[in-house]
Amino acid sequence: MPTLPTARFWERRDVPGVEHTLVDARDGLYARGIQQAVDPIPYSARYEIQTDPRWATTRVDVAVEGAAWARTLRLELAAGRWRVTTAEQGNLDAVLTAAGHAAAGLPGTEDPDLLYGAFDVDLTGSPLTNTLPIRRLGLLTAERGVAHRISVAWVLLPSLEVVQADQIYTPQADGVIRFASDTFSADLIVDDEGFVTDYPGLAKWVTPSS
């Protein structure tokens, strides 16, 4: 397994949790990371993301596990179409309902063609994946106030269900990009490489103490 040159660490703001990722952004993005959270139930998710040199996502692998259950997901984009592979152990639905939550759907999607036209993947609760459209669309230098509407493959955690979602990214000022989806919006603070340093209400980048 290759070593990667950069590490980033975020603390979740919406639920108790963290995300730590290792990235290489010299020719597109290659990233390996781990996300941990306690809601809706405690889980740990390990992921690997690969893009092409233009920052369009080509492959995503996610493995999620909790007490008495585990799920895996692979998304691969080829010739504009997504191929979805999943596996499951244990009974996530039983754990969710025992904790007072609604049961989850199956991992993946029954109709990958619904994801046609999506070139970005969004992992629930992961500020890293906001960087994918920011870099792919060149939003760091794009005209301010111009909205960019995209379709994404949204991976729900911890269930690993995959759904199509419409999102809008709008550059506001240097280092500020507005993200919107449905009735939600937030002004993301990003660094000069397009990585999110502050996602209001979701996560904040944590740097080592001096």
Side-chain angles (χ1 to χ4, degrees), residues 5-6 8 25 53 57 73 75 77 79-80 94 100 103 108 116 118 133 163 166 168 184 200:
T6 305
R8 290 179 178 268
T57 304
L73 168 74
L75 295 174
L77 182 63
Y116 184 79
V163 299
D166 294 319
I168 301 173
F184 172 83

Side-chain angles (χ1 to χ4, degrees), residues 63-106:
V64 185
E65 62 180 341
W69 64 273
R71 289 183 168 190
T72 62
L73 168 74
R74 168 168 283 191
L75 295 174
E76 297 174 284
L77 182 63
R81 296 188 179 277
W82 288 97
R83 182 168 58 195
V84 183
T85 307
T86 65
E88 180 177 19
Q89 293 179 298
N91 192 333
L92 172 58
D93 283 352
V95 177
L96 285 167
T97 55
H101 301 288
L106 295 173

